[in-house]
């Protein structure tokens, strides 16, 4: 089992920044990739960014150049640094871990970009 707890969401003005954190516990040795997804009202959940155990990362086109995914192995934490936020980034952001054939999810954290 893997447990994920997100934090760092909130309300921010357009052009602002936020950093999301995802604390990982449990059978972390089985994790081979972690990512951030988001879901806006009335829309499907979409991939935002993913980082592999080898530290390679990929991003959705809509966030390239603005968001950065990273991890601190010593703290068992994955981060999503979000800069130049836009109103269309408003969504619930979910942390995801892939371990074996199983997807684990956090509870989600709300990000609202509005003036």
């Amino acid at each position: 089992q893997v447990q994920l707890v997100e934090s760092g969401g909130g309300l921010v003005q357009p052009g602002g920044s936020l950093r999301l954190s995802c604390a990982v516990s449990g059978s972390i040795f089985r994790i081979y990739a972690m990512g951030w997804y988001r879901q806006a009202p009335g829309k499907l959940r979409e991939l935002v960014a993913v980082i592999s155990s080898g530290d390679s990362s990929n991003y959705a086109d809509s966030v390239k150049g603005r968001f950065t995914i990273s991890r601190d192995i010593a703290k068992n934490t994955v981060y999503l640094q979000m800069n130049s936020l836009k109103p269309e980034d408003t969504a619930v952001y979910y942390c995801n871990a892939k371990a074996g054939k199983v997807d684990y999810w956090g509870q989600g954290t709300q990000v609202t970009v509005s003036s």
Side-chain angles (χ1 to χ4, degrees), residues 55-100:
D55 275 340
S56 63
S57 58
N58 284 291
Y59 299 88
D61 288 343
S62 59
V63 306
K64 282 181 181 177
R66 300 188 298 122
F67 291 11
T68 302
I69 189 170
S70 63
R71 62 182 187 147
D72 186 329
I73 295 175
K75 295 182 179 180
N76 291 331
T77 302
V78 175
Y79 304 98
L80 185 68
Q81 178 66 43
M82 305 185 294
N83 299 327
S84 302
L85 282 161
K86 305 175 181 180
E88 52 263 44
D89 294 318
T90 296
V92 177
Y93 284 69
Y94 295 91
C95 182
N96 168 269
K98 299 187 184 300

Side-chain angles (χ1 to χ4, degrees), residues 2-8 20-25 34 36 76-78 93-96 105-109:
V2 174
Q3 294 80 42
L4 308 173
V5 179
E6 302 107 331
S7 61
L20 305 182
S21 299
C22 176
V24 187
S25 61
M34 293 201 64
W36 288 93
N76 291 331
T77 302
V78 175
Y93 284 69
Y94 295 91
C95 182
N96 168 269
W105 297 92
Q107 80 285 357
T109 185

